[in-house]
């Protein structure tokens, strides 16, 4: 069993994924972390899988799963949870908006006894770089809405976080859209959370996959979690 599994959902990330994996391998070795790198791919049409195959030839801790049904980032992450060979999961994007050098901070935060560790843009010391005003406003709006569900968390929609298996054990997650952390916070069994400040930088390579359907999925997710928590209150 590995110390942790780094779960990376991908869709057409041939430009970024080989560089990301190689940097993660260095980070794991530098910090003496026996970690697994698990790519969950949504049936990419480019050379994403070929790039990973080349790296796997000399790195046994790198593997991938190709999904051909029910596509989506959150769905990919949840599949990664149940296909991992560890009890600590670290979720990150493939596009370098989440720096590999930050992964050990999340890992050690869980080892210290936290149930969830979040790379947070909205606590002191954190921030967002290179985002246009429109995207900043949308992000703050989504974050503000999510805080009604988990007011103790400053960045409940971060895409860069670590979680211990015990948080989701026996829980029926209903993944959709991009905000899987909010799903975990809304339905999971957790007590202790640590937010660590980091600065989000826009993707280094490729193009953003943000679409209008992302907003629709997010609003539907919010409604489902509100309903779930309302029902749980009266059980």
């Amino acid at each position: 069993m590995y110390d942790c599994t780094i779960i990376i959902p991908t869709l057409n990330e041939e430009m970024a994924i080989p560089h990301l994996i190689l940097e993660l391998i260095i980070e794991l070795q530098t910090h003496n972390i026996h970690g697994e790198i698990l790519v969950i791919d949504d049936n990419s049409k480019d050379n994403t899988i070929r790039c990973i195959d080349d790296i796997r030839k000399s790195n046994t801790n790198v593997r991938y799963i190709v999904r051909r049904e029910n596509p989506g980032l959150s769905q990919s992450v949840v599949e990664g949870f149940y296909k991992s060979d560890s009890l600590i999961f670290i979720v990150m994007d493939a596009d370098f908006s989440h720096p590999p050098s930050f992964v050990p901070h999340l890992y050690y935060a869980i080892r210290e006894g936290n149930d969830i560790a979040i790379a947070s843009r909205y606590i002191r010391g954190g921030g967002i770089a290179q985002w246009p005003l429109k995207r900043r406003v949308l992000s703050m709006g989504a974050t503000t809405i999510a805080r009604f569900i988990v007011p103790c968390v400053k960045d409940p929609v971060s895409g860069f976080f670590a979680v211990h298996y015990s948080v989701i054990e026996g829980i029926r997650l209903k993944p959709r859209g991009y905000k899987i952390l909010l799903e975990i916070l809304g339905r999971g069994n957790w007590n202790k959370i640590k937010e660590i400040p980091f600065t989000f930088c826009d993707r280094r390579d490729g193009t953003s996959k943000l679409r209008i359907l992302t907003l629709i999925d997010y609003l539907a997710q919010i409604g489902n979690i509100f309903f779930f928590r309302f029902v749980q209150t009266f059980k």
Side-chain angles (χ1 to χ4, degrees):
M1 180 173 284
Y2 289 96
D3 295 336
C4 67
T5 298
I6 302 170
I7 299 171
I8 311 170
T10 57
L11 176 62
N12 300 327
E13 293 286 0
E14 66 177 356
M15 296 178 65
I17 194 63
H19 308 292
L20 178 70
I21 291 175
L22 291 174
E23 288 196 24
L24 285 170
I25 290 170
I26 292 171
E27 287 296 328
L28 293 173
Q29 291 174 345
T30 300
H31 293 271
N32 197 28
I33 300 172
H34 182 50
E36 171 188 32
I37 300 171
L38 176 58
V39 177
I40 310 293
D41 185 75
D42 258 345
N43 200 20
S44 291
K45 304 306 180 184
D46 64 0
N47 291 316
T48 296
I49 296 304
R50 184 179 301 174
C51 292
I52 302 169
D53 266 330
D54 289 340
I55 298 173
R56 287 177 68 239
K57 293 174 183 177
S58 56
N59 295 277
T60 58
N61 64 328
V62 176
R63 63 187 178 100
Y64 65 84
I65 296 170
V66 178
R67 303 175 66 250
R68 293 182 170 84
E69 297 180 355
N70 190 26
L73 183 146
S74 292
Q75 294 92 318
S76 294
V77 171
V78 170
E79 181 159 346
F81 289 158
Y82 297 108
K83 299 292 177 64
S84 297
D85 191 19
S86 70
L87 296 178
I88 297 175
F89 315 129
I90 300 171
V91 178
M92 67 184 302
D93 290 345
D95 57 13
F96 280 96
S97 55
H98 302 151
S101 60
F102 203 85
V103 164
H105 296 287
L106 295 172
Y107 169 73
Y108 287 119
I110 300 298
R111 288 293 302 270
E112 290 167 1
N114 295 288
D115 300 308
I116 301 173
I118 302 170
S120 180
R121 300 161 295 177
Y122 299 121
I123 62 173
R124 179 173 294 182
I128 299 173
Q130 302 173 354
W131 260 14
L133 178 61
K134 179 180 179 181
R135 194 168 178 188
R136 287 176 182 268
V137 170
L138 287 173
S139 176
M140 282 301 301
T143 302
T144 300
I145 294 171
R147 285 176 185 164
F148 283 102
I149 296 177
V150 278
C152 62
V153 179
K154 296 295 184 183
D155 196 353
V157 295
S158 174
F160 193 15
F161 62 92
V163 59
H164 194 276
Y165 174 72
S166 59
V167 174
I168 62 168
E169 185 176 12
I171 298 298
R172 184 184 176 190
L173 297 173
K174 296 184 177 181
R176 63 184 300 165
Y178 284 68
K179 306 305 181 184
I180 185 59
L181 175 59
L182 182 60
E183 185 76 12
I184 294 167
L185 291 169
R187 300 179 188 272
N189 295 315
W190 53 269
N191 292 303
K192 192 176 180 182
I193 288 181
K194 182 175 183 178
E195 292 192 75
I196 310 169
F198 99 112
T199 298
F200 178 96
C201 295
D202 213 353
R203 60 181 301 127
R204 182 190 298 181
D205 298 300
T207 57
S208 173
K209 301 174 182 67
L210 187 64
R211 302 289 186 271
I212 187 64
L213 287 177
T214 304
L215 176 60
I216 295 172
D217 279 337
Y218 179 68
L219 294 176
Q221 181 186 32
I222 288 289
N224 287 337
I225 295 174
F226 265 122
F227 180 74
F228 170 81
R229 292 175 72 90
F230 176 79
V231 171
Q232 293 297 112
T233 300
F234 292 98
K235 277 190 174 181

